[in-house]
């Protein structure tokens, strides 16, 4: 199609879209770019949402909306009452008999334009009997709190999630190790504190968007900006009673994820409509405001901590009670709570531990996966407490951390033996990078300067049997196709997989083509693109697939040359013999094979290698003590340190220098590792300094970039030292572990500790806004 000119014009709901003038002249109507891809039968979806945080849904009258010209379909919870959820099936596509948060979908409209669909929403009549709501997870966990999910006992969940029916507690993870009560009298110093960490949004630049199409045979195709095409396929197929083989998910390019595009959020809505208007694709796009208050958020946390050490700084005991604000539906959030529970000590060797990690239903937006998966929130409190303990006993904070961090061979709080880790080296690296121990003069008389440090750990938070698979297909032009099911979301996983395949096969990197987009009909299975697990898990699958293809190539050539495959190698795309010194490019035979002697036929054929990987060694934990042989596959550890200044006249915090080091096992691509470390620090800094949901009686008061600020390039420190340590992981490809989420985990705590060092004032609860810091300086008498 030849397009003479394109111009921007006002599109549905004021959005800017491209209009194709050639098609407009030919048809007499404006044609949007979506029409070109999905055809003129494309319909647009909008959603009627609950205006109250909690209530009984007594009536949903859609008759007037259905009568509006241009409306093709309206669906409600009565049409699709089945529950779905990744770890706890507690959520329907639309509210059925009760609404539980402001913004919960109640009905959806499909119409020929987005404007008509929006207008139809005003014609849907709701009758809701309001009920008392829960907005504080600590209060919501108590007996007598308004009950949000009376049917909790009937919800389906795996055996590692522990709901408490008859309460608002959807998961209660416990650790009981040693005897904390007997340990307290032995402590020379004890710190006890409460820390509150707010909800924040992922704010991907691309909001959620999906297009669904159901054909006349009931087969469904979903085009989705997703981190979880295979998980979506499984969950949606069950929800809508479609055979999984008839549910196809095509994962388009993702314009930012950070966890919010994992699992299923809004993607069920266009499918619900498409099944009612078969043959018409239905598009649903969240507005920026909807992205804030109707989608997954990072859970809020109330953290009650008590930690003690002896006079020499050895940690003796910890009591950690966490109330996670899981929101209205905790189908994913229950696993955040579990991860917070088994990692509740942080990367420290503590002999006596009592942990209660409690996921609580509230009438806030649903909590879900966010980069770090609960670890940023946990470490925000824990690493401030460690800073306070070091101060109490008069010990250098770097030395205190190094004395207490977990080491290979130590037993972690769940009973697992810790693998080798380079966390002490990480601490040394970041301390040296900011000249720890050297008091720096502020750059101006009106400024205060300080330094802070924090350490971290994080394990891949996933079921014990999360698997990966890969296919390597050789081509006759000397290239190879690598098919995987993991999604590229900007972290560079396609590059890393290409490197692993090339290294394993002995092929040039430039010869590798990673197939995309991910399509559940054609791509090999991958659990999800979450948990910083792809380099490790999918990398193992790719390496095994490449090894399979490599062995087939060597066996084929060995048969043709009558040699032992052990005497052959592949280098730069050429098979060579160390014995006969023969050589042959792989492109000459990997599809068409090699002739036998004397023209007596052929051997070989198209070379295809397959590989799959699943950890088989993660064990269950006792529900009352949290003890078991192996709670997780591994931990990635690391450290961060910052050098900051605070303007006494404004309270503005500026990061002058930042240093971060992580033990990645093996850096498959050092540049990508450095990019993850730098980007993670900036995102962590953003959550520490600026971000926080302003929730008031269930209403999100700052659902736009006007009032919800995130860090920009203007806030990035002039110097970020991104470093790594390589202590090989025994089950990782070439020893590699993941490092995608970890760089933002210790940042809030490091900045909080630096603020204390600069001002003498401890501000425990983020965000550390200029206003909050300034008022704290006033209260402390530092500023008059």
């Amino acid at each position: 199609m030849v397009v003479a000119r394109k111009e921007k014009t006002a599109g549905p709901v004021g959005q800017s879209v491209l209009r194709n003038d050639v098609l407009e002249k030919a048809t007499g109507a404006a044609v949007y770019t979506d029409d070109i891809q999905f055809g003129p039968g494309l319909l647009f979806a909008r959603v009627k949402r609950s205006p109250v945080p909690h209530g009984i849904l007594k009536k949903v009258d859609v008759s007037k909306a259905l009568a509006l010209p241009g409306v093709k379909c309206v669906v409600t919870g009565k049409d699709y009452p089945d529950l779905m959820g990744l770890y706890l099936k507690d959520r329907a596509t639309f509210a059925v008999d009760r609404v539980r948060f402001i913004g919960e979908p109640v009905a959806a409209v499909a119409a020929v334009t987005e404007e008509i669909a929006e207008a139809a929403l005003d014609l849907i009549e709701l009758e809701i009997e309001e009920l008392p709501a829960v907005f504080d997870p600590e209060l919501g966990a108590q007996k007598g709190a308004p009950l949000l999910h009376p049917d909790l006992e009937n919800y389906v969940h795996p055996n590692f999630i522990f709901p408490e029916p008859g309460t608002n507690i959807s998961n209660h993870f416990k650790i009981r190790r040693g005897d904390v009560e007997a340990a307290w009298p032995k402590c020379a110093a004890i710190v006890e504190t409460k820390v509150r960490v707010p909800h924040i949004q992922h704010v991907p630049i691309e909001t959620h968007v999906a297009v669904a199409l159901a054909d006349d045979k009931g087969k469904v195709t979903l085009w989705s900006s997703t981190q979880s095409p295979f998980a979506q396929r499984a969950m949606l197929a069950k929800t809508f009673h479609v055979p999984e083989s008839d549910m196809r998910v095509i994962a388009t390019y993702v314009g930012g994820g950070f966890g919010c595009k994992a699992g299923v959020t809004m993607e069920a809505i266009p499918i619900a409509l498409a099944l009612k208007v078969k043959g018409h694709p239905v598009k649903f796009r969240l507005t920026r405001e909807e992205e804030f208050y109707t989608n997954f958020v990072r859970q809020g946390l109330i953290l009650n901590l008590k930690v003690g050490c002896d006079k020499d700084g050895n940690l003796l005991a910890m009591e950690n009670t966490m109330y996670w604000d899981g929101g209205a539906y905790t189908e994913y959030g229950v696993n955040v709570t579990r991860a917070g529970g088994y990692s509740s000590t942080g990367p420290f060797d503590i002999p006596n531990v009592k942990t209660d990690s409690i996921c609580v239903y509230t009438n806030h937006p649903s909590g879900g996966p966010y980069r770090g998966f609960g670890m940023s929130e946990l470490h925000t409190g824990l690493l401030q407490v460690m800073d306070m303990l070091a101060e109490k006993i008069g010990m250098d904070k770097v030395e205190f951390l190094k004395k207490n961090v977990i080491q290979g061979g130590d037993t972690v709080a769940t009973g697992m033996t810790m693998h080798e880790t380079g966390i002490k080296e990480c601490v040394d690296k970041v301390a040296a990078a900011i000249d720890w121990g050297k008091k720096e003069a502020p750059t101006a008389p009106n400024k205060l300067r300080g330094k802070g440090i924090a350490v971290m750990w994080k394990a891949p938070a996933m079921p014990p049997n999360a698997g990966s698979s890969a296919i390597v297909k050789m081509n006759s032009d000397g290239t190879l196709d690598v098919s995987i099911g993991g999604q590229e979301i900007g972290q560079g996983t396609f590059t890393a997989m290409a490197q692993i395949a090339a290294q394993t096969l002995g092929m040039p990197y430039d010869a590798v083509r990673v197939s995309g987009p991910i399509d559940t009909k054609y791509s090999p299975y991958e659990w999800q693109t979450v948990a910083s697990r792809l380099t490790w898990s999918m990398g193992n699958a790719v390496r095994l697939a490449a090894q399979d293809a490599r062995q087939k190539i060597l066996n084929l050539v060995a048969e043709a040359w009558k040699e032992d495959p052990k005497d052959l190698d592949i280098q730069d795309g050429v098979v060579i013999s160390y014995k006969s010194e023969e050589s042959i490019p792989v492109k000459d035979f990997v599809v068409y094979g090699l002739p036998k002697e004397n023209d007596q036929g052929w051997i070989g054929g198209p070379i295809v290698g397959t590989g799959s990987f699943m950890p088989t060694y993660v064990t269950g934990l006792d529900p009352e003590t949290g003890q078991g042989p192996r709670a997780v596959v591994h931990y990635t550890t690391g450290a961060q340190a910052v050098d900051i200044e605070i303007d006494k006249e404004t309270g503005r915090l500026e990061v002058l220098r930042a240093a971060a080091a992580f033990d990645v096992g093996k850096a498959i691509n050092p540049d990508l590792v450095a990019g993850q470390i730098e980007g993670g620090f900036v995102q962590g800094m953003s959550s520490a300094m600026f971000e926080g949901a302003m929730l008031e009686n269930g209403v999100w008061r700052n659902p736009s970039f006007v009032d919800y600020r995130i860090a920009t390039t203007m806030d990035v420190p002039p110097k970020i030292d991104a470093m790594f340590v390589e202590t090989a992981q025994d089950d990782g490809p070439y020893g590699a572990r993941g490092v995608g989420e970890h760089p933002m985990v210790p940042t809030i705590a490091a900045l909080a500790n630096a603020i204390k060092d600069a001002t003498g004032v401890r501000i425990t609860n983020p965000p550390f806004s200029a206003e909050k810091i300034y008022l704290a300086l006033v209260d402390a008498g530092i500023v008059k």
Side-chain angles (χ1 to χ4, degrees), residues 658-662 670 673-678 720-724:
F662 296 88
V673 170
Q676 287 298 302
I677 292 174
E678 291 167 359
I720 301 176
D721 281 314
M723 301 167 283
F724 55 85

Side-chain angles (χ1 to χ4, degrees), residues 471-492:
I471 300 170
V472 169
K473 178 173 69 70
M474 306 301 298
N475 300 317
S476 60
D477 60 358
T479 63
L480 60 141
D481 296 325
V482 176
S483 296
I484 52 178
Q487 180 67 299
E488 175 62 66
I489 55 174
Q491 81 281 43

